Amino acid sequence: MAKEIERKFLVKSDSWRRLAEGKVYRQGYISTQKEATVRVRIAGNQGYLTMKGPSVKYSRSEFEYPIPIEDAQEMLDTLCEPPLIEKIRYRVEYGGLIWEIDEFDGVNKGLIIAEVELSDEQQQLELPIWIGEEVSDDPKYFNSNLVKHPFSQW
């Protein structure tokens, strides 16, 4: 079984920008139940279908599969609840880890979140200077909840 162990943080400065190139992401949700989410994503020129189980602390099961971009676009257009998540994802290497920084657009414009995947929940992190408050335990920052309660409505 695939396991995702991830921590999320708000980003407090732009000093990371010089270190990163971004890729456009569009994603939507077929299901956003607490027990399981089903996501469709287009990242650059590739489509993905992802299923995730419930979060327990920083961990949850995750299964992700590449799908044809045409299928992903059709699913985004016909099966996903609006609004779609629109963002640019940047990748920055720091402290031996890859940090993914999501700069949201659309109804979530203005929100910037950094995520880092860990090998286990006890793994120690060296935080970059641009990292702010940790929001790993706050469900309002889950992408699946940003569809239901966009940042622009907080």
Side-chain angles (χ1 to χ4, degrees), residues 11-20 92 101 128-131:
V11 175
K12 65 180 182 180
S13 77
D14 281 345
S15 59
W16 57 270
R17 287 188 188 277
R18 62 182 170 74
L19 306 170
V92 175
I101 301 151
I129 60 170
W130 36 266
I131 288 295

PDB file of all heavy atoms in Angstrom, residues 11-20 92 101 128-131:
ATOM      1  N   VAL A  11       3.512  30.009   3.730  1.00  0.00           N
ATOM      2  CA  VAL A  11       4.758  30.604   3.261  1.00  0.00           C
ATOM      3  C   VAL A  11       4.736  32.075   3.628  1.00  0.00           C
ATOM      4  O   VAL A  11       3.756  32.776   3.368  1.00  0.00           O
ATOM      5  CB  VAL A  11       4.905  30.403   1.733  1.00  0.00           C
ATOM      6  CG1 VAL A  11       6.124  31.117   1.202  1.00  0.00           C
ATOM      7  CG2 VAL A  11       4.966  28.914   1.406  1.00  0.00           C
ATOM      8  N   LYS A  12       5.818  32.555   4.277  1.00  0.00           N
ATOM      9  CA  LYS A  12       5.803  33.918   4.811  1.00  0.00           C
ATOM     10  C   LYS A  12       6.640  34.919   4.013  1.00  0.00           C
ATOM     11  O   LYS A  12       6.588  36.102   4.299  1.00  0.00           O
ATOM     12  CB  LYS A  12       6.234  33.917   6.271  1.00  0.00           C
ATOM     13  CG  LYS A  12       7.664  33.501   6.515  1.00  0.00           C
ATOM     14  CD  LYS A  12       7.985  33.526   8.002  1.00  0.00           C
ATOM     15  CE  LYS A  12       9.438  33.168   8.255  1.00  0.00           C
ATOM     16  NZ  LYS A  12       9.749  33.202   9.679  1.00  0.00           N
ATOM     17  N   SER A  13       7.410  34.450   3.023  1.00  0.00           N
ATOM     18  CA  SER A  13       8.178  35.383   2.200  1.00  0.00           C
ATOM     19  C   SER A  13       8.381  34.797   0.808  1.00  0.00           C
ATOM     20  O   SER A  13       8.085  33.636   0.568  1.00  0.00           O
ATOM     21  CB  SER A  13       9.524  35.700   2.851  1.00  0.00           C
ATOM     22  OG  SER A  13      10.433  34.637   2.658  1.00  0.00           O
ATOM     23  N   ASP A  14       8.911  35.616  -0.085  1.00  0.00           N
ATOM     24  CA  ASP A  14       9.129  35.208  -1.477  1.00  0.00           C
ATOM     25  C   ASP A  14      10.561  34.785  -1.770  1.00  0.00           C
ATOM     26  O   ASP A  14      10.917  34.598  -2.931  1.00  0.00           O
ATOM     27  CB  ASP A  14       8.764  36.360  -2.421  1.00  0.00           C
ATOM     28  CG  ASP A  14       7.274  36.485  -2.630  1.00  0.00           C
ATOM     29  OD1 ASP A  14       6.542  35.543  -2.289  1.00  0.00           O
ATOM     30  OD2 ASP A  14       6.846  37.530  -3.154  1.00  0.00           O
ATOM     31  N   SER A  15      11.400  34.629  -0.768  1.00  0.00           N
ATOM     32  CA  SER A  15      12.808  34.342  -1.021  1.00  0.00           C
ATOM     33  C   SER A  15      13.035  32.990  -1.702  1.00  0.00           C
ATOM     34  O   SER A  15      14.090  32.768  -2.277  1.00  0.00           O
ATOM     35  CB  SER A  15      13.619  34.423   0.281  1.00  0.00           C
ATOM     36  OG  SER A  15      13.128  33.513   1.236  1.00  0.00           O
ATOM     37  N   TRP A  16      12.063  32.096  -1.699  1.00  0.00           N
ATOM     38  CA  TRP A  16      12.160  30.799  -2.362  1.00  0.00           C
ATOM     39  C   TRP A  16      12.065  30.918  -3.889  1.00  0.00           C
ATOM     40  O   TRP A  16      12.506  30.036  -4.611  1.00  0.00           O
ATOM     41  CB  TRP A  16      11.049  29.853  -1.866  1.00  0.00           C
ATOM     42  CG  TRP A  16       9.685  30.431  -2.063  1.00  0.00           C
ATOM     43  CD1 TRP A  16       8.989  31.202  -1.169  1.00  0.00           C
ATOM     44  CD2 TRP A  16       8.857  30.317  -3.206  1.00  0.00           C
ATOM     45  NE1 TRP A  16       7.777  31.572  -1.688  1.00  0.00           N
ATOM     46  CE2 TRP A  16       7.666  31.038  -2.943  1.00  0.00           C
ATOM     47  CE3 TRP A  16       8.983  29.662  -4.423  1.00  0.00           C
ATOM     48  CZ2 TRP A  16       6.624  31.136  -3.851  1.00  0.00           C
ATOM     49  CZ3 TRP A  16       7.932  29.756  -5.342  1.00  0.00           C
ATOM     50  CH2 TRP A  16       6.780  30.489  -5.053  1.00  0.00           C
ATOM     51  N   ARG A  17      11.459  31.992  -4.382  1.00  0.00           N
ATOM     52  CA  ARG A  17      11.149  32.116  -5.813  1.00  0.00           C
ATOM     53  C   ARG A  17      12.375  32.002  -6.714  1.00  0.00           C
ATOM     54  O   ARG A  17      12.302  31.422  -7.790  1.00  0.00           O
ATOM     55  CB  ARG A  17      10.421  33.422  -6.104  1.00  0.00           C
ATOM     56  CG  ARG A  17       9.005  33.402  -5.631  1.00  0.00           C
ATOM     57  CD  ARG A  17       8.256  34.644  -6.128  1.00  0.00           C
ATOM     58  NE  ARG A  17       6.942  34.723  -5.531  1.00  0.00           N
ATOM     59  CZ  ARG A  17       5.876  34.066  -5.981  1.00  0.00           C
ATOM     60  NH1 ARG A  17       5.968  33.300  -7.039  1.00  0.00           N
ATOM     61  NH2 ARG A  17       4.715  34.187  -5.368  1.00  0.00           N
ATOM     62  N   ARG A  18      13.498  32.534  -6.288  1.00  0.00           N
ATOM     63  CA  ARG A  18      14.710  32.490  -7.131  1.00  0.00           C
ATOM     64  C   ARG A  18      15.252  31.074  -7.271  1.00  0.00           C
ATOM     65  O   ARG A  18      16.077  30.796  -8.132  1.00  0.00           O
ATOM     66  CB  ARG A  18      15.770  33.435  -6.597  1.00  0.00           C
ATOM     67  CG  ARG A  18      16.251  33.091  -5.208  1.00  0.00           C
ATOM     68  CD  ARG A  18      17.276  34.098  -4.681  1.00  0.00           C
ATOM     69  NE  ARG A  18      17.545  33.876  -3.286  1.00  0.00           N
ATOM     70  CZ  ARG A  18      18.270  32.884  -2.794  1.00  0.00           C
ATOM     71  NH1 ARG A  18      18.807  31.996  -3.599  1.00  0.00           N
ATOM     72  NH2 ARG A  18      18.455  32.764  -1.485  1.00  0.00           N
ATOM     73  N   LEU A  19      14.772  30.158  -6.438  1.00  0.00           N
ATOM     74  CA  LEU A  19      15.265  28.780  -6.423  1.00  0.00           C
ATOM     75  C   LEU A  19      14.401  27.817  -7.240  1.00  0.00           C
ATOM     76  O   LEU A  19      14.733  26.640  -7.330  1.00  0.00           O
ATOM     77  CB  LEU A  19      15.309  28.263  -4.975  1.00  0.00           C
ATOM     78  CG  LEU A  19      16.078  29.102  -3.966  1.00  0.00           C
ATOM     79  CD1 LEU A  19      15.833  28.590  -2.562  1.00  0.00           C
ATOM     80  CD2 LEU A  19      17.559  29.128  -4.312  1.00  0.00           C
ATOM     81  N   ALA A  20      13.285  28.305  -7.811  1.00  0.00           N
ATOM     82  CA  ALA A  20      12.288  27.365  -8.330  1.00  0.00           C
ATOM     83  C   ALA A  20      11.742  27.752  -9.697  1.00  0.00           C
ATOM     84  O   ALA A  20      11.672  28.918 -10.041  1.00  0.00           O
ATOM     85  CB  ALA A  20      11.138  27.278  -7.341  1.00  0.00           C
ATOM     86  N   VAL A  92      11.399  23.048  -4.633  1.00  0.00           N
ATOM     87  CA  VAL A  92      12.638  23.609  -4.102  1.00  0.00           C
ATOM     88  C   VAL A  92      13.313  22.548  -3.242  1.00  0.00           C
ATOM     89  O   VAL A  92      12.681  21.991  -2.339  1.00  0.00           O
ATOM     90  CB  VAL A  92      12.356  24.872  -3.253  1.00  0.00           C
ATOM     91  CG1 VAL A  92      13.626  25.380  -2.594  1.00  0.00           C
ATOM     92  CG2 VAL A  92      11.704  25.959  -4.078  1.00  0.00           C
ATOM     93  N   ILE A 101       5.853  24.023  -3.332  1.00  0.00           N
ATOM     94  CA  ILE A 101       5.194  25.264  -2.961  1.00  0.00           C
ATOM     95  C   ILE A 101       4.070  25.509  -3.956  1.00  0.00           C
ATOM     96  O   ILE A 101       4.309  25.610  -5.158  1.00  0.00           O
ATOM     97  CB  ILE A 101       6.185  26.440  -2.959  1.00  0.00           C
ATOM     98  CG1 ILE A 101       7.317  26.131  -1.976  1.00  0.00           C
ATOM     99  CG2 ILE A 101       5.476  27.736  -2.595  1.00  0.00           C
ATOM    100  CD1 ILE A 101       8.614  26.747  -2.321  1.00  0.00           C
ATOM    101  N   PRO A 128      13.157  26.015   6.110  1.00  0.00           N
ATOM    102  CA  PRO A 128      13.705  27.170   5.389  1.00  0.00           C
ATOM    103  C   PRO A 128      13.197  28.473   6.016  1.00  0.00           C
ATOM    104  O   PRO A 128      12.152  28.499   6.675  1.00  0.00           O
ATOM    105  CB  PRO A 128      13.141  27.009   3.972  1.00  0.00           C
ATOM    106  CG  PRO A 128      12.680  25.587   3.872  1.00  0.00           C
ATOM    107  CD  PRO A 128      12.313  25.176   5.260  1.00  0.00           C
ATOM    108  N   ILE A 129      13.907  29.566   5.777  1.00  0.00           N
ATOM    109  CA  ILE A 129      13.522  30.855   6.369  1.00  0.00           C
ATOM    110  C   ILE A 129      12.181  31.366   5.848  1.00  0.00           C
ATOM    111  O   ILE A 129      11.539  32.177   6.498  1.00  0.00           O
ATOM    112  CB  ILE A 129      14.606  31.935   6.160  1.00  0.00           C
ATOM    113  CG1 ILE A 129      14.860  32.174   4.665  1.00  0.00           C
ATOM    114  CG2 ILE A 129      15.885  31.551   6.874  1.00  0.00           C
ATOM    115  CD1 ILE A 129      15.733  33.379   4.364  1.00  0.00           C
ATOM    116  N   TRP A 130      11.732  30.877   4.697  1.00  0.00           N
ATOM    117  CA  TRP A 130      10.482  31.342   4.111  1.00  0.00           C
ATOM    118  C   TRP A 130       9.271  30.578   4.612  1.00  0.00           C
ATOM    119  O   TRP A 130       8.138  30.842   4.213  1.00  0.00           O
ATOM    120  CB  TRP A 130      10.542  31.326   2.584  1.00  0.00           C
ATOM    121  CG  TRP A 130      11.313  30.196   1.980  1.00  0.00           C
ATOM    122  CD1 TRP A 130      12.629  30.203   1.615  1.00  0.00           C
ATOM    123  CD2 TRP A 130      10.829  28.885   1.661  1.00  0.00           C
ATOM    124  NE1 TRP A 130      12.985  28.981   1.096  1.00  0.00           N
ATOM    125  CE2 TRP A 130      11.900  28.149   1.111  1.00  0.00           C
ATOM    126  CE3 TRP A 130       9.579  28.263   1.796  1.00  0.00           C
ATOM    127  CZ2 TRP A 130      11.775  26.838   0.688  1.00  0.00           C
ATOM    128  CZ3 TRP A 130       9.450  26.951   1.372  1.00  0.00           C
ATOM    129  CH2 TRP A 130      10.530  26.254   0.828  1.00  0.00           C
ATOM    130  N   ILE A 131       9.470  29.622   5.503  1.00  0.00           N
ATOM    131  CA  ILE A 131       8.366  28.830   6.057  1.00  0.00           C
ATOM    132  C   ILE A 131       7.758  29.561   7.249  1.00  0.00           C
ATOM    133  O   ILE A 131       8.466  30.058   8.127  1.00  0.00           O
ATOM    134  CB  ILE A 131       8.862  27.429   6.482  1.00  0.00           C
ATOM    135  CG1 ILE A 131       9.159  26.585   5.248  1.00  0.00           C
ATOM    136  CG2 ILE A 131       7.864  26.722   7.395  1.00  0.00           C
ATOM    137  CD1 ILE A 131       7.942  26.271   4.394  1.00  0.00           C
TER     138      ILE A 131
END
